Amino acid sequence: MAAHAPPRFSDFIQLSKDLDGLYHQMSLKAGLSDSMLALLYSLCERQSPPTAIELAQEWSLTKQTVHSALAAIERQGITTTGDSPADRRRKLIFLTPSGQALCRERILPILEAERRSFARLTPGERETLIALTAKANQYLKEETAALR
């Protein structure tokens, strides 16, 4: 009987890459780039319009990537911008009626699939998955903090 190799961090990373691949396939099916899908995902879920900087921070994307994706979806009539009432220098991103329809047709089915798949785990499994992933991320952050 062959001995089973213990899990390695590379196994965890491969699972992360597999998940990224699933979202890439969803982006392709939705006719969007990966960054467009991420931004629309956030816009569809939010109760209030975000700024580009907030979206960049939420998705760990560069400002340039966010601005390029936002420019592309604005050209398609999916989003528009407006001044923040709190600070006119800040531009808020809003979904247009076309963007709202796109969310209903292409993004909300993804959100629902996520919810259904996560619900298939037991409550304990969900808690363990979140806790251990957060712990592994924190440890990696600590171990790589001094790297250049």
Side-chain angles (χ1 to χ4, degrees):
M1 190 183 301
H4 189 284
R8 301 173 314 229
F9 194 76
S10 61
D11 297 328
F12 177 72
I13 296 299
Q14 186 59 53
L15 289 172
S16 178
K17 289 178 184 178
D18 291 347
L19 187 59
D20 287 345
L22 287 171
Y23 280 95
H24 178 68
Q25 290 303 313
M26 288 185 254
S27 295
L28 294 176
K29 286 181 182 179
L32 302 164
S33 71
D34 293 355
S35 54
M36 289 168 136
L37 177 68
L39 300 181
L40 287 170
Y41 183 109
S42 289
L43 291 168
C44 293
E45 275 207 316
R46 285 177 172 267
Q47 300 301 315
S48 60
T51 64
I53 291 170
E54 290 169 339
L55 291 172
Q57 291 170 342
E58 184 176 332
W59 288 98
S60 299
L61 296 171
T62 66
K63 286 187 234 177
Q64 181 180 7
T65 298
V66 169
H67 285 291
S68 294
L70 286 173
I73 59 179
E74 190 167 1
R75 280 192 304 273
Q76 295 174 29
I78 296 169
T79 61
T80 190
T81 59
D83 292 335
S84 166
D87 182 352
R88 294 184 64 106
R89 295 171 295 167
R90 291 176 29 148
K91 295 290 183 195
L92 300 177
I93 298 121
F94 298 89
L95 288 168
T96 63
S98 295
Q100 292 168 1
L102 180 86
C103 280
R104 284 189 301 276
E105 295 166 11
R106 299 186 194 169
I107 308 302
L108 291 180
I110 293 169
L111 293 170
E112 288 303 315
E114 288 174 335
R115 288 181 185 115
R116 287 191 311 271
S117 67
F118 199 62
R120 291 172 70 179
L121 297 170
T122 67
E125 288 171 331
R126 291 191 294 261
E127 288 177 21
T128 300
L129 175 63
I130 298 297
L132 291 178
T133 302
K135 193 174 192 178
N137 287 351
Q138 181 59 39
Y139 289 168
L140 184 59
K141 185 185 287 184
E142 290 170 8
E143 294 295 331
T144 59
L147 299 179
R148 291 182 181 234

